[in-house]
């Protein structure tokens, strides 16, 4: 604390009308930033800053490029907070070798658009990429490697479809470049730590990505409602040419393309983009019709990383159905026994007209037997149904099985001709 009086022209008052304390910080540079209960601007006056603090202030934080922030606590120096109308002097030195000695570095950056290409082409299909508003401005910050000091700020307007080049000056290994889209809820803030490889290449390729989450699904049996394990699903999105695949070399944001349902029928895809519709295709699963591919709308219910059981996307697989009739020629054979493998049992019987309907049929052949007829062991060279997506029906709708008179203990092993729709003896 100095003994010199604070003249009226030197005085500055706080918001309550009290005369402030004046702390003169002596340091031979004009690159210092101060934080605390400051009143007004800290003026630099020939190797010293005049910092006005509200009476009772107990600390002053000092930031200098290339050095860790310095917290000056007045209590440990003068036994309490600073007093109004009093003048204090604080002398600071800058350690040798702490000044920043970096190099220029080119930053190549841009926004991830609703497109399958790295940049541009905004008018892609809505069903695949959804609708998104590209931010007007990207703020770029260079933070020193200590994580606290700040060394630069650039702003980029989104007035072109190409990537932007920004020249960053005085960059060192360990510095952090922050890419922050302004006023955007659809994009993430990206932080890149500068490496030796970046400095050697003299450039960094870094994009600003749309927000991502985990697209969670559960696959159930359409007949029983029970979960179906072991179903492989593929998400239909062109990722090989995507922004993330081209720009994100560490694959941090690349969409997971395949998943397999667990014992509870659950599967998930990482890095699904908020507000986008994805198509899903499924592998063949014994006993079920392959639904081809389906589009699931997650625009109305955006994917959220914090998923709950109530907003998991529920999918259903319909069981394959084997329908037909067992005859002795022209007439149907009632109560003929059919043994086969299916999702819901292994033994079935024809009705009074000889017709049968086996839901969940698994293609491993069937055995048909009836009193006074030879037992028929029937094999299909391929699945006994072809699902027509245009008419949404199975072709053929019914298979025709003709039994031959004889001893049921005698077995006949035959194939079924799907083209002619009959048993080949």
């Amino acid at each position: 604390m100095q003994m010199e009086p604070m003249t009226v022209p030197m005085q500055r008052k706080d918001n309550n009308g009290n005369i402030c304390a004046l702390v003169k910080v002596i340091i031979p540079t004009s690159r210092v930033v101060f934080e605390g209960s400051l009143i007004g601007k800290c003026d630099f006056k020939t190797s010293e800053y005049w910092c006005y603090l509200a009476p009772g202030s107990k600390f002053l934080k000092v930031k200098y490029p290339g050095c860790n922030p310095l917290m000056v606590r007045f209590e440990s120096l003068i036994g309490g907070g600073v007093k109004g109308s009093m003048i204090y002097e604080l002398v600071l030195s800058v350690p040798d070798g702490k000044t920043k000695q970096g190099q220029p570095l080119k930053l190549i950056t841009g926004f991830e658009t609703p497109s399958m290409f790295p940049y541009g082409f905004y008018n892609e299909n809505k069903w695949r990429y959804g609708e998104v508003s590209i931010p007007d401005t990207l703020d770029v910050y260079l933070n020193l490697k200590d994580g606290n000091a700040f060394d630069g700020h650039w702003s980029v307007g989104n007035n072109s479809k190409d990537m932007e080049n920004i020249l960053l000056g005085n960059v060192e290994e360990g510095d952090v470049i922050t890419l922050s889209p302004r006023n955007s809820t659809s994009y993430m803030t990206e932080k890149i730590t500068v490496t030796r490889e970046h400095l050697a290449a003299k450039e960094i390729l870094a994009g600003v990505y749309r927000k991502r989450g985990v697209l969670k699904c559960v696959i159930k049996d359409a007949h029983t409602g029970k979960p179906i394990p072991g179903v492989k699903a593929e998400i239909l999105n062109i990722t090989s040419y995507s922004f993330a695949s081209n720009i994100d070399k560490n694959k941090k944001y690349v969409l997971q393309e395949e998943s397999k349902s667990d014992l509870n029928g659950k599967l998930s895809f990482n890095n699904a983009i908020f507000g986008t519709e994805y198509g899903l295709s499924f592998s063949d699963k014994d006993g079920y019709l392959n639904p081809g591919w389906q589009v699931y709308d997650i625009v109305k219910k955006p994917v959220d990383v914090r998923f709950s059981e109530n907003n998991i996307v529920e999918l259903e697989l319909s069981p394959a159905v084997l329908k037909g009739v067992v005859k002795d020629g022209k007439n149907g054979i009632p109560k003929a026994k059919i043994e086969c493998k299916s999702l819901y049992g292994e033994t079935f019987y024809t009705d009074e007209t000889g017709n049968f309907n086996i839901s969940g049929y698994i293609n491993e052949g069937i055995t048909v037997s009836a009193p006074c007829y030879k037992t028929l062991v029937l094999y299909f060279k391929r699945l006994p149904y072809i699902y027509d997506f245009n008419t949404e029906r199975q072709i053929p709708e019914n298979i025709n099985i003709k039994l031959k008179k004889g001893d049921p203990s005698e077995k006949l092993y035959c194939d079924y001709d799907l083209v002619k729709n009959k048993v080949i003896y």
Side-chain angles (χ1 to χ4, degrees), residues 215-227:
L215 173 56
K216 294 184 179 180
C217 309
V218 59
I219 300 181
K220 296 182 178 181
D221 185 307
H223 180 65
T224 65
K226 294 182 179 180

Side-chain angles (χ1 to χ4, degrees), residues 42-55:
C42 297
D43 297 319
F44 184 67
K45 299 177 180 289
T46 313
S47 298
E48 68 180 25
Y49 281 92
W50 283 25
C51 300
Y52 288 89
L53 295 170

Side-chain angles (χ1 to χ4, degrees), residues 8-74:
V8 174
M10 296 172 63
Q11 293 177 359
R12 187 177 294 180
K13 295 182 179 180
D14 64 12
N15 295 331
N16 296 319
N18 300 317
I19 299 176
C20 298
L22 171 59
V23 179
K24 295 181 179 180
V25 181
I26 300 174
I27 187 170
T29 179
S30 60
R31 300 176 63 195
V32 184
V33 176
F34 299 95
E35 292 181 1
S37 301
L38 296 164
I39 305 298
K41 183 180 179 182
C42 297
D43 297 319
F44 184 67
K45 299 177 180 289
T46 313
S47 298
E48 68 180 25
Y49 281 92
W50 283 25
C51 300
Y52 288 89
L53 295 170
S57 298
K58 296 183 178 180
F59 74 90
L60 179 65
K61 191 173 185 178
V62 185
K63 291 184 176 181
Y64 183 85
C67 296
N68 291 325
L70 174 66
M71 179 66 76
V72 180
R73 300 188 184 279
F74 300 127

Side-chain angles (χ1 to χ4, degrees), residues 187-419:
Y187 286 80
M188 298 183 288
T189 295
E190 186 72 13
K191 292 188 176 182
I192 307 102
T193 300
V194 178
T195 65
R196 292 183 182 179
E197 290 74 16
H198 292 144
L199 296 175
K202 297 183 180 180
E203 69 177 24
I204 294 180
L205 179 63
V208 182
Y209 298 89
R210 293 176 63 184
K211 289 186 177 179
R212 283 157 162 75
V214 181
L215 173 56
K216 294 184 179 180
C217 309
V218 59
I219 300 181
K220 296 182 178 181
D221 185 307
H223 180 65
T224 65
K226 294 182 179 180
I228 307 174
V231 178
K232 291 182 181 179
E234 180 180 0
I235 199 162
L236 299 182
N237 191 46
I238 303 176
T239 58
S240 59
Y241 297 99
S242 71
F243 185 91
S245 293
N246 282 271
I247 308 302
D248 178 19
K249 300 304 181 182
N250 296 322
K251 309 302 180 186
K252 180 179 178 182
Y253 296 125
V254 174
L255 177 68
Q256 177 187 342
E257 295 181 354
E258 295 182 346
S259 184
K260 187 177 182 180
S261 60
D262 60 18
L263 293 176
N264 296 314
K266 294 182 180 180
L267 55 83
S268 61
F269 297 91
N270 295 321
N271 288 326
I273 299 175
F274 288 157
T276 299
E277 296 176 349
Y278 288 104
L280 300 180
S281 67
F282 303 92
S283 61
D284 289 326
K285 179 68 174 176
D286 284 345
Y288 293 95
L289 289 174
N290 190 322
W293 64 270
Q294 299 181 32
V295 175
Y296 295 97
D297 185 356
I298 59 172
V299 173
K300 297 178 181 177
K301 297 181 180 179
V303 175
D304 194 328
V305 176
R306 298 175 298 276
F307 255 91
S308 67
E309 293 293 327
N310 295 328
N311 57 11
I312 291 179
V313 179
E314 292 192 359
L315 316 174
E316 290 186 339
L317 291 186
S318 299
V321 178
L322 179 62
K323 297 190 294 183
V325 60
V326 178
K327 298 180 179 179
D328 61 1
K330 295 182 178 180
N331 300 316
I333 303 175
K335 297 184 180 180
K337 183 179 180 181
I338 301 176
E339 297 174 277
C340 66
K341 190 172 182 180
S342 81
L343 298 172
Y344 315 117
E346 296 184 353
T347 303
F348 304 87
Y349 294 90
T350 59
D351 61 17
E352 295 301 322
T353 61
N355 289 284
F356 62 89
N357 187 323
I358 301 172
S359 184
Y361 170 74
I362 297 175
N363 186 43
E364 293 188 5
I366 62 175
T367 300
V368 184
S369 60
C372 304
Y373 294 93
K374 295 179 181 180
T375 297
L376 179 63
V377 181
L378 191 60
Y379 293 96
F380 299 95
K381 292 183 178 180
R382 58 180 174 137
L383 291 175
Y385 58 84
I386 303 173
Y387 194 78
D388 187 333
F389 293 102
N390 295 319
T391 60
E392 297 184 352
R393 64 187 181 89
Q394 293 176 172
I395 305 173
E397 292 186 336
N398 291 281
I399 63 173
N400 296 300
I401 300 175
K402 180 182 178 181
L403 297 184
K404 289 188 175 183
K405 292 282 187 178
D407 186 350
S409 63
E410 182 181 350
K411 292 185 178 180
L412 298 176
Y413 296 86
C414 302
D415 291 327
Y416 191 87
D417 190 327
L418 282 173
V419 177

